[in-house]
Amino acid sequence: MAVVNGIYIHIPFCMNKCNYCDFLSFKSKKSERDKYIQYLIKEIELYPTVEYSTVYFGGGTPSILEPCEIKKIIRSIDISIDSEVTLETNPKTVDLQKLKEIKKAGVNRLSIGIQSFNDKFLNILGRMHNSQEGVEVYHLAREAGFRNISLDLMFSLPNQTLEELKEDLNKLFELRPEHFSIYSLIWEEGTNFFEKLKKGELKETDNDLEASMYELIIEMAKEHGYIHYEISNFALPGKEAIHNSKYWENEEYVGVGLGASGYCDGIRYKNQVKFKDYYDNIDNEEKPIFESEIIDESEKEIYKYILGLRLLTKGVKAEGKYIKVCESLMKKGFLEKNKDGYILTSKGILLANDVFDEFV
Ligand SMILES: C[S@@+](CC[C@H](N)C(=O)[O-])C[C@H]1O[C@@H](n2cnc3c(N)ncnc32)[C@H](O)[C@@H]1O
Ligand code: SF4
């Protein structure tokens, strides 16, 4: 049996909707979850039996599931012995016992949604946990035996100062997780935050402050021995996220669950976003795909640059007409060369989206 790729499993349930979030998720009842898991397993069976080398439970809040539910899903997948199995975890959903059982179920990497260590911001964000609970869950995860933990943080929060961000980062580095992801707040349409922005009750961080915040993160991460290996991701040496790196390396992966995206057999697809459509397709033994796009060679080439350049330590080898694009971006100071190919410079990292536009 060949070891291929990874599998992304979407769990579209949350205890509550955070004010800034537009991920596909709903408040759930146990009966709904039972049905969903049953269909999820049927969907997994619609994909050819392969041995997955990475499994990623994303959401929503996968840690809302009972350990036995997580175990049931993992058991339905063929995974290689040393595979990375990640579960996104909200601090409010776990205690020591549950974390131990999640580990026993086969999860070996946690990605904990901390967002901030400052209660003022956790409150504004509409998180259900306070800072102390976030820190406690991190320590409980260590006690339960997790040796690979990633923390999610956000910055550029409403009225956040550089000093407040620095305090958050100091707390993060005190904990010393193997990995962390830090995202600048995106004002997503349809969220509470977006409504407040429109009414003038909240305002966006100005660009210069946001850039200074990002530079502070990069500088402090480096001082603490973290490798800035992707635009929003930092890891201690050898602890880069294996599953997520596959996305950036343009590798194929299976995506299952409501609204999940995948890339299989040269096709990028997105699953149904309504439960009824999702269940109906699976009842008909069809993959519950909502939309799909065949990726021809020229599109594959574009993805190679716009995804590959996100990885900041691995150079992208330019070919054909893109050599000229890369050379021109290098002259403007956005790209430089390392032993494998082109990588973003510090200036290029700050303006990454403009750089990617040059390839489309
Ligand atoms: C699916 S959630 C992670 C797990 C879990 N649901 C939780 O929040 O604890 C993925 C991450 O995306 C980030 N995120 C969500 N909405 C965002 C937004 N509007 N702007 C920036 N980052 C966002 C948060 O850091 C969040 O932890
Ligand atoms: S940030 Fe996480 S917990 Fe909050 S609504 Fe989004 S997916 Fe759910």
Side-chain angles (χ1 to χ4, degrees):
M1 200 187 294
V3 175
V4 297
N5 307 321
I7 181 165
Y8 172 84
I9 302 171
H10 193 74
I11 307 296
F13 305 118
C14 284
M15 291 169 79
N16 209 10
K17 198 79 195 164
C18 301
N19 290 332
Y20 54 89
C21 180
D22 83 334
F23 281 70
L24 188 68
S25 71
F26 309 90
K27 285 190 193 174
S28 76
K29 288 194 217 92
K30 171 94 176 87
S31 57
E32 254 181 284
R33 290 212 315 263
D34 286 348
K35 180 169 180 186
Y36 184 75
I37 291 167
Q38 202 189 326
Y39 277 80
L40 195 59
I41 291 172
K42 283 191 197 163
E43 187 192 359
I44 291 169
E45 285 164 3
L46 293 174
Y47 285 86
T49 315
V50 290
E51 213 173 270
Y52 294 107
S53 56
T54 60
V55 182
Y56 192 98
F57 286 90
T61 303
S63 58
I64 212 169
L65 300 181
E66 294 302 325
C68 61
E69 296 173 322
I70 297 170
K71 190 169 167 181
K72 204 165 153 191
I73 301 169
I74 293 179
R75 285 229 169 131
S76 74
I77 310 167
D78 286 307
I79 51 175
S80 45
I81 291 173
D82 54 356
S83 56
E84 179 193 81
V85 183
T86 305
L87 185 92
E88 285 183 353
T89 303
N90 181 307
K92 203 70 191 177
T93 57
V94 290
D95 56 20
L96 179 60
Q97 184 57 28
K98 185 166 176 184
L99 285 164
K100 283 182 178 168
E101 287 175 32
I102 287 174
K103 184 154 187 295
K104 242 178 153 178
V107 174
N108 54 27
R109 183 172 183 271
L110 291 184
S111 168
I112 307 176
I114 293 284
Q115 317 311 346
S116 171
F117 293 100
N118 183 327
D119 286 340
K120 175 179 79 178
F121 291 116
L122 291 174
N123 211 1
I124 296 172
L125 292 168
R127 300 288 295 179
M128 296 188 72
H129 55 93
N130 60 28
S131 164
Q132 198 194 336
E133 286 168 318
V135 172
E136 261 168 30
V137 160
Y138 175 82
H139 291 304
L140 291 178
R142 290 292 191 213
E143 203 180 324
F146 284 97
R147 298 284 164 265
N148 198 358
I149 300 181
S150 179
L151 301 184
D152 271 358
L153 272 93
M154 291 165 74
F155 71 102
S156 195
L157 302 174
N159 295 320
Q160 188 180 29
T161 63
L162 208 53
E163 202 43 49
E164 285 169 326
L165 173 64
K166 199 170 182 177
E167 284 163 20
D168 259 2
L169 293 169
N170 278 329
K171 291 199 176 127
L172 167 75
F173 296 127
E174 251 171 58
L175 297 180
R176 210 163 171 75
E178 282 72 22
H179 184 282
F180 70 94
S181 308
I182 185 159
Y183 308 103
S184 155
L185 173 69
I186 302 169
W187 298 80
E188 303 279 8
E189 232 178 302
T191 60
N192 285 349
F193 263 23
F194 194 78
E195 287 310 305
K196 288 196 171 162
L197 182 69
K198 274 201 310 201
K199 286 187 203 150
E201 292 170 21
L202 289 176
K203 81 176 193 0
E204 289 181 76
T205 308
D206 82 54
N207 289 344
D208 287 347
L209 176 58
E210 188 172 334
S212 304
M213 287 180 158
Y214 188 48
E215 280 165 348
L216 177 71
I217 295 163
I218 296 171
E219 191 188 303
M220 286 183 68
K222 197 171 168 195
E223 274 168 23
H224 287 85
Y226 285 82
I227 300 165
H228 186 196
Y229 75 101
E230 197 271 344
I231 294 178
S232 308
N233 287 280
F234 299 78
L236 291 177
K239 295 294 180 185
E240 294 84 355
I242 304 173
H243 180 85
N244 295 20
S245 295
K246 290 178 178 175
Y247 302 151
W248 304 312
E249 286 179 7
N250 209 6
E251 282 185 32
E252 296 204 344
Y253 65 98
V254 170
V256 292
L258 196 76
S261 299
Y263 178 29
C264 279
D265 301 325
I267 296 171
R268 286 195 179 269
Y269 65 89
K270 185 177 160 68
N271 268 357
Q272 300 285 6
V273 292
K274 292 186 180 148
F275 284 104
K276 185 178 182 312
D277 298 335
Y278 177 75
Y279 295 145
D280 283 351
N281 281 166
I282 294 174
D283 277 335
N284 293 330
E285 308 221 340
E286 293 163 359
K287 288 180 184 161
I289 293 176
F290 171 62
E291 56 187 12
S292 62
E293 187 197 358
I294 298 171
I295 304 298
D296 62 20
E297 280 309 311
S298 69
E299 277 157 326
K300 197 171 167 188
E301 190 72 3
I302 296 172
Y303 276 110
K304 181 181 105 177
Y305 297 99
I306 60 176
L307 294 173
L309 283 172
R310 296 189 68 94
L311 288 172
L312 304 175
T313 55
K314 230 175 180 182
V316 179
K317 198 169 172 292
E319 284 162 313
K321 63 179 182 185
Y322 295 105
I323 297 176
K324 223 170 149 186
V325 179
C326 288
E327 285 298 312
S328 151
L329 285 164
M330 193 159 87
K331 277 200 195 104
K332 291 179 191 156
F334 294 118
L335 294 184
E336 59 186 329
K337 266 184 172 168
N338 75 2
K339 63 176 181 15
D340 324 299
Y342 293 93
I343 52 166
L344 290 171
T345 57
S346 314
K347 180 175 158 189
I349 294 173
L350 285 174
L351 295 164
N353 287 335
D354 298 331
V355 173
F356 300 152
D357 282 347
E358 297 294 314
F359 294 92
V360 183

